[in-house]
Amino acid sequence: MPVLAFIIVLSFAFYIFYKVQYVRSRRPMEKKWLSAKSSMALGLFVGFFGLNTLFIQQTTVSYIVAAFFLLIGFSSLWAGFKAYRHFLPYAQREAEELKNQ
């Protein structure tokens, strides 16, 4: 499925993008916020990779591997989203404090 392949490539590109921003950042809360965003992108990558595996091969082993990838990917997405919501106000406050100095 070309749509799933596009989403897989796009989510991996966002993962790389956020990891580069993470490395370049010097602010501690912004680093944690960017790490959460990259975790969400990686979770989407792994989850949609597992979903794509379901459509490509229809064997018992591929169903087990796809279920594992879906579970790990979307749980990483959920944990990243929770961390994103947690660190967002701190990152905003940190940016405002540095802007006012």
Side-chain angles (χ1 to χ4, degrees):
M1 301 205 50
V3 173
L4 288 177
F6 178 73
I7 293 172
I8 290 169
V9 170
L10 188 66
S11 62
F12 188 70
F14 272 111
Y15 172 72
I16 297 294
F17 175 73
Y18 289 131
K19 277 300 175 184
V20 168
Q21 279 189 335
Y22 172 83
V23 170
R24 296 183 73 196
S25 175
R26 287 186 166 68
R27 303 175 189 168
M29 285 298 132
E30 185 182 38
K31 281 187 111 145
K32 291 180 181 181
W33 180 63
L34 289 169
S35 178
K37 288 171 79 172
S38 68
S39 175
M40 290 187 331
L42 186 62
L44 278 175
F45 170 73
V46 172
F48 279 110
F49 190 82
L51 188 62
N52 194 35
T53 304
L54 286 175
F55 292 114
I56 291 177
Q57 302 168 354
Q58 281 87 25
T59 64
T60 306
V61 174
S62 67
Y63 287 149
I64 294 169
V65 170
F68 180 72
F69 279 8
L70 285 168
L71 180 69
I72 296 297
F74 290 119
S75 64
S76 176
L77 174 68
W78 178 250
F81 181 69
K82 287 176 66 175
Y84 171 83
R85 286 191 316 180
H86 176 74
F87 289 118
L88 180 62
Y90 297 117
Q92 288 174 338
R93 191 174 315 134
E94 185 178 59
E96 289 173 3
E97 287 174 0
L98 289 174
K99 181 182 173 185
N100 293 334
Q101 288 180 357

